[in-house]
Amino acid sequence: YYVVHCALDDAQLRADALCEWAQAFEARTGDRPRVWVDVLCRAASITPTQELEHMPAHLSMSRRLLVLAGSAFFSDRRCCTVLY
């Protein structure tokens, strides 16, 4: 799962939503989900432009998207770009 989220949304709410989803996934399948969360998985030195350039490669390695859509999600261009 490639996790799409907006950095402008509350970090605790995003973390809680991801944990709740992961617990439900494990209860349903018996397996722990494998996720790509850009801010946790990318190199700290990468620029926003480089992140967008690398995004197609990361998306192509993921079978599914997990969207953590808070109140700021659709006003963030990066989030809209990922969904496009």
Side-chain angles (χ1 to χ4, degrees):
Y1 287 86
Y2 186 95
V3 180
V4 184
H5 62 96
C6 178
L8 301 174
D9 285 323
D10 182 86
Q12 188 61 54
L13 291 176
R14 287 181 286 146
D16 292 346
L18 182 58
C19 287
E20 185 177 323
W21 172 83
Q23 290 170 350
F25 181 94
E26 188 172 1
R28 185 176 65 252
T29 66
D31 294 322
R32 291 183 178 173
R34 286 186 286 162
V35 298
W36 172 273
V37 182
D38 56 357
V39 296
L40 300 175
C41 299
R42 66 180 163 85
S45 61
I46 197 168
T47 67
T49 301
Q50 291 171 319
E51 181 182 352
L52 284 173
E53 290 170 349
H54 297 167
M55 192 178 304
H58 299 303
L59 284 167
S60 69
M61 291 185 281
S62 301
R63 291 185 179 172
R64 297 190 172 139
L65 291 177
L66 174 63
V67 178
L68 303 177
S71 60
F73 186 85
F74 289 104
S75 62
D76 184 339
R77 287 186 193 154
R78 187 190 70 76
C79 295
C80 296
T81 301
V82 173
L83 293 180
Y84 177 72

